[in-house]
Amino acid sequence: MDKNQFAAFLACAVVPPVINQIQMNTKEPTLDTINKFYHSNVYKLLEDENTKMWHYSALTLFKMYESECKTGKIDFPEEAA
């Protein structure tokens, strides 16, 4: 998959459910949520196809994002170790 195809895949299939998870838990306005997520380190790792983070569920990605917001560190799931 080339870089543009992967970016489209993220934007259409991966990111929307993560944004939904964030909003269900934070009640932030949609644009604020989207902006914060796209500027997070979780998203920076997610957009690197080699990390294979796009395999993670929306809930797992949300928990990683939540950890980053609260502690400044990303807690990776055990299977990533």
Side-chain angles (χ1 to χ4, degrees):
M1 185 174 336
D2 74 27
K3 191 170 185 154
N4 290 332
Q5 290 171 322
F6 185 67
F9 167 70
L10 288 180
C12 294
V14 178
V15 172
V18 177
I19 297 299
N20 187 46
Q21 284 287 328
I22 295 168
Q23 286 194 288
M24 288 188 332
N25 287 279
T26 66
K27 309 297 187 214
E28 291 180 335
T30 303
L31 291 178
D32 290 346
T33 302
I34 292 169
N35 188 42
K36 287 179 183 178
F37 184 69
Y38 274 107
H39 287 92
S40 71
N41 288 323
V42 169
Y43 182 76
K44 286 179 181 125
L45 290 169
L46 181 61
E47 70 180 343
D48 178 355
E49 188 175 0
N50 294 321
T51 66
K52 306 293 185 206
M53 285 177 50
W54 51 271
H55 278 114
Y56 295 155
S57 69
L59 182 58
T60 297
L61 290 168
F62 162 70
K63 288 180 180 180
M64 293 170 72
Y65 172 79
E66 183 180 49
S67 171
E68 178 185 353
C69 290
K70 288 181 178 178
T71 68
K73 297 178 183 178
I74 300 170
D75 288 332
F76 288 89
E78 287 188 29
E79 70 264 12

